Amino acid sequence: PVFVKRAKTARDNNRDLGLCRVLLAELERHQDAWPFLTPVSQKSVPGYRKVIKKPMDFSTIREKLVNSQYQNLETFIIDVNLVYDNCEKFNEDNSEIGRAGHNMRKFFEKRWTELLKQ
Ligand SMILES: Cc1ncccc1N[C@@H](C)c1ccc2c(c1)OCCCO2
């Protein structure tokens, strides 16, 4: 039978937040995470802020998670994907940071689909 959409419960949101914590911890300790651990500083990368309108990095995502700024898994995934989209915009695919971005995106896609299938 077609499953009637049920209202999202607080339990659903708590489950989502647990998934965000697990996923972010795995991203932070991935060996290719190094370009994404802290905000890109204008000093170390001149022109970055001119090109990238919505900077995002794993420490900022951590901060938002700790301050309950993610209502659900979706808003969390949007920020994680922003890290990778910014990376693709600014870096050549065939560069250290560009490759790290592609590797991290692939890893993230794999992990959250595995965790959601459970
Ligand atoms: C994600 C990203 N995209 C574009 C540029 C940089 C970054 N990441 C920052 C953290 C970074 C990574 C490597 C760096 C760097 C800064 O300092 C300048 C000297 C070379 O080493």
mmCIF file of all heavy atoms in Angstrom, residues 34-36 38-41 44-45 48 86-87 90-91 97, ligand 1:
data_model
loop_
_atom_site.group_PDB
_atom_site.id
_atom_site.type_symbol
_atom_site.label_atom_id
_atom_site.label_comp_id
_atom_site.label_asym_id
_atom_site.label_seq_id
_atom_site.Cartn_x
_atom_site.Cartn_y
_atom_site.Cartn_z
ATOM 1 N N TRP A 34 42.114 17.811 5.087
ATOM 2 C CA TRP A 34 42.981 18.929 5.502
ATOM 3 C C TRP A 34 42.642 20.284 4.861
ATOM 4 O O TRP A 34 42.666 21.307 5.543
ATOM 5 C CB TRP A 34 44.461 18.579 5.296
ATOM 6 C CG TRP A 34 44.825 18.193 3.902
ATOM 7 C CD1 TRP A 34 44.784 16.945 3.357
ATOM 8 C CD2 TRP A 34 45.258 19.063 2.854
ATOM 9 N NE1 TRP A 34 45.144 16.982 2.039
ATOM 10 C CE2 TRP A 34 45.460 18.264 1.700
ATOM 11 C CE3 TRP A 34 45.504 20.438 2.779
ATOM 12 C CZ2 TRP A 34 45.888 18.797 0.480
ATOM 13 C CZ3 TRP A 34 45.924 20.979 1.565
ATOM 14 C CH2 TRP A 34 46.119 20.161 0.442
ATOM 15 N N PRO A 35 42.229 20.362 3.566
ATOM 16 C CA PRO A 35 41.949 21.726 3.044
ATOM 17 C C PRO A 35 40.657 22.329 3.579
ATOM 18 O O PRO A 35 40.389 23.507 3.405
ATOM 19 C CB PRO A 35 41.835 21.492 1.525
ATOM 20 C CG PRO A 35 42.341 20.120 1.269
ATOM 21 C CD PRO A 35 42.064 19.348 2.530
ATOM 22 N N PHE A 36 39.805 21.467 4.242
ATOM 23 C CA PHE A 36 38.437 21.871 4.587
ATOM 24 C C PHE A 36 38.196 22.008 6.084
ATOM 25 O O PHE A 36 37.073 22.217 6.521
ATOM 26 C CB PHE A 36 37.453 20.870 3.968
ATOM 27 C CG PHE A 36 37.786 20.499 2.550
ATOM 28 C CD1 PHE A 36 38.284 19.246 2.240
ATOM 29 C CD2 PHE A 36 37.673 21.438 1.534
ATOM 30 C CE1 PHE A 36 38.640 18.909 0.937
ATOM 31 C CE2 PHE A 36 38.025 21.120 0.222
ATOM 32 C CZ PHE A 36 38.512 19.851 -0.072
ATOM 33 N N THR A 38 39.360 24.232 8.312
ATOM 34 C CA THR A 38 39.193 25.592 8.867
ATOM 35 C C THR A 38 38.811 26.554 7.738
ATOM 36 O O THR A 38 39.057 26.258 6.568
ATOM 37 C CB THR A 38 40.529 26.080 9.470
ATOM 38 O OG1 THR A 38 41.529 25.983 8.443
ATOM 39 C CG2 THR A 38 40.922 25.261 10.681
ATOM 40 N N PRO A 39 38.239 27.722 8.076
ATOM 41 C CA PRO A 39 37.846 28.671 7.031
ATOM 42 C C PRO A 39 39.048 29.097 6.186
ATOM 43 O O PRO A 39 40.165 29.216 6.700
ATOM 44 C CB PRO A 39 37.310 29.860 7.830
ATOM 45 C CG PRO A 39 36.902 29.287 9.144
ATOM 46 C CD PRO A 39 37.875 28.175 9.417
ATOM 47 N N VAL A 40 38.848 29.274 4.877
ATOM 48 C CA VAL A 40 39.922 29.735 3.992
ATOM 49 C C VAL A 40 40.166 31.212 4.309
ATOM 50 O O VAL A 40 39.258 32.029 4.164
ATOM 51 C CB VAL A 40 39.531 29.560 2.514
ATOM 52 C CG1 VAL A 40 40.666 30.014 1.610
ATOM 53 C CG2 VAL A 40 39.173 28.108 2.228
ATOM 54 N N SER A 41 41.370 31.552 4.772
ATOM 55 C CA SER A 41 41.604 32.958 5.161
ATOM 56 C C SER A 41 41.982 33.785 3.930
ATOM 57 O O SER A 41 42.737 33.327 3.059
ATOM 58 C CB SER A 41 42.734 33.037 6.181
ATOM 59 O OG SER A 41 43.990 32.913 5.527
ATOM 60 N N SER A 44 45.789 34.005 3.473
ATOM 61 C CA SER A 44 46.562 32.902 2.866
ATOM 62 C C SER A 44 46.130 32.644 1.425
ATOM 63 O O SER A 44 46.884 32.106 0.628
ATOM 64 C CB SER A 44 46.407 31.619 3.687
ATOM 65 O OG SER A 44 45.080 31.135 3.588
ATOM 66 N N VAL A 45 44.890 33.039 1.075
ATOM 67 C CA VAL A 45 44.411 32.812 -0.295
ATOM 68 C C VAL A 45 43.768 34.088 -0.818
ATOM 69 O O VAL A 45 42.536 34.246 -0.787
ATOM 70 C CB VAL A 45 43.406 31.642 -0.362
ATOM 71 C CG1 VAL A 45 43.053 31.342 -1.804
ATOM 72 C CG2 VAL A 45 43.951 30.406 0.334
ATOM 73 N N TYR A 48 40.060 34.813 -2.611
ATOM 74 C CA TYR A 48 39.099 33.724 -2.355
ATOM 75 C C TYR A 48 37.710 34.277 -2.073
ATOM 76 O O TYR A 48 36.714 33.846 -2.654
ATOM 77 C CB TYR A 48 39.565 32.849 -1.191
ATOM 78 C CG TYR A 48 38.728 31.604 -1.012
ATOM 79 C CD1 TYR A 48 38.942 30.474 -1.811
ATOM 80 C CD2 TYR A 48 37.684 31.556 -0.086
ATOM 81 C CE1 TYR A 48 38.150 29.338 -1.664
ATOM 82 C CE2 TYR A 48 36.890 30.424 0.059
ATOM 83 C CZ TYR A 48 37.125 29.319 -0.736
ATOM 84 O OH TYR A 48 36.346 28.197 -0.603
ATOM 85 N N ASN A 86 32.202 24.858 -3.409
ATOM 86 C CA ASN A 86 33.185 25.951 -3.364
ATOM 87 C C ASN A 86 34.550 25.454 -3.845
ATOM 88 O O ASN A 86 35.238 26.121 -4.606
ATOM 89 C CB ASN A 86 33.335 26.492 -1.935
ATOM 90 C CG ASN A 86 32.127 27.271 -1.466
ATOM 91 O OD1 ASN A 86 31.283 27.685 -2.271
ATOM 92 N ND2 ASN A 86 32.016 27.465 -0.164
ATOM 93 N N CYS A 87 34.893 24.236 -3.404
ATOM 94 C CA CYS A 87 36.191 23.655 -3.770
ATOM 95 C C CYS A 87 36.283 23.479 -5.285
ATOM 96 O O CYS A 87 37.279 23.860 -5.910
ATOM 97 C CB CYS A 87 36.382 22.318 -3.060
ATOM 98 S SG CYS A 87 37.985 21.546 -3.387
ATOM 99 N N PHE A 90 36.752 26.890 -7.116
ATOM 100 C CA PHE A 90 38.011 27.627 -6.964
ATOM 101 C C PHE A 90 39.234 26.816 -7.404
ATOM 102 O O PHE A 90 40.246 27.386 -7.809
ATOM 103 C CB PHE A 90 38.177 28.055 -5.497
ATOM 104 C CG PHE A 90 39.231 29.117 -5.300
ATOM 105 C CD1 PHE A 90 38.903 30.470 -5.388
ATOM 106 C CD2 PHE A 90 40.546 28.762 -5.042
ATOM 107 C CE1 PHE A 90 39.868 31.448 -5.215
ATOM 108 C CE2 PHE A 90 41.524 29.743 -4.863
ATOM 109 C CZ PHE A 90 41.175 31.081 -4.948
ATOM 110 N N ASN A 91 39.151 25.494 -7.337
ATOM 111 C CA ASN A 91 40.328 24.659 -7.582
ATOM 112 C C ASN A 91 40.181 23.814 -8.847
ATOM 113 O O ASN A 91 39.110 23.307 -9.136
ATOM 114 C CB ASN A 91 40.543 23.734 -6.383
ATOM 115 C CG ASN A 91 40.723 24.494 -5.095
ATOM 116 O OD1 ASN A 91 41.787 25.044 -4.829
ATOM 117 N ND2 ASN A 91 39.665 24.585 -4.293
ATOM 118 N N ILE A 97 44.182 20.146 -3.914
ATOM 119 C CA ILE A 97 42.944 20.487 -3.190
ATOM 120 C C ILE A 97 41.724 20.044 -3.992
ATOM 121 O O ILE A 97 40.771 19.513 -3.444
ATOM 122 C CB ILE A 97 42.895 22.003 -2.885
ATOM 123 C CG1 ILE A 97 44.073 22.413 -1.994
ATOM 124 C CG2 ILE A 97 41.576 22.384 -2.224
ATOM 125 C CD1 ILE A 97 44.148 23.903 -1.722
HETATM 126 C C1 LIG B 1 39.545 24.562 0.472
HETATM 127 C C2 LIG B 1 40.447 25.554 -0.156
HETATM 128 N N1 LIG B 1 40.148 25.987 -1.406
HETATM 129 C C3 LIG B 1 40.936 26.875 -2.024
HETATM 130 C C4 LIG B 1 42.095 27.357 -1.421
HETATM 131 C C5 LIG B 1 42.438 26.932 -0.123
HETATM 132 C C6 LIG B 1 41.604 26.027 0.522
HETATM 133 N N2 LIG B 1 41.904 25.580 1.799
HETATM 134 C C7 LIG B 1 42.749 26.347 2.701
HETATM 135 C C8 LIG B 1 42.556 25.911 4.122
HETATM 136 C C9 LIG B 1 44.229 26.204 2.299
HETATM 137 C C10 LIG B 1 44.699 24.997 1.812
HETATM 138 C C11 LIG B 1 46.064 24.878 1.470
HETATM 139 C C12 LIG B 1 46.913 25.967 1.628
HETATM 140 C C13 LIG B 1 46.399 27.172 2.128
HETATM 141 C C14 LIG B 1 45.061 27.282 2.450
HETATM 142 O O1 LIG B 1 47.204 28.255 2.362
HETATM 143 C C15 LIG B 1 47.922 28.844 1.254
HETATM 144 C C16 LIG B 1 49.174 28.054 0.965
HETATM 145 C C17 LIG B 1 48.833 26.717 0.362
HETATM 146 O O2 LIG B 1 48.251 25.852 1.339
#
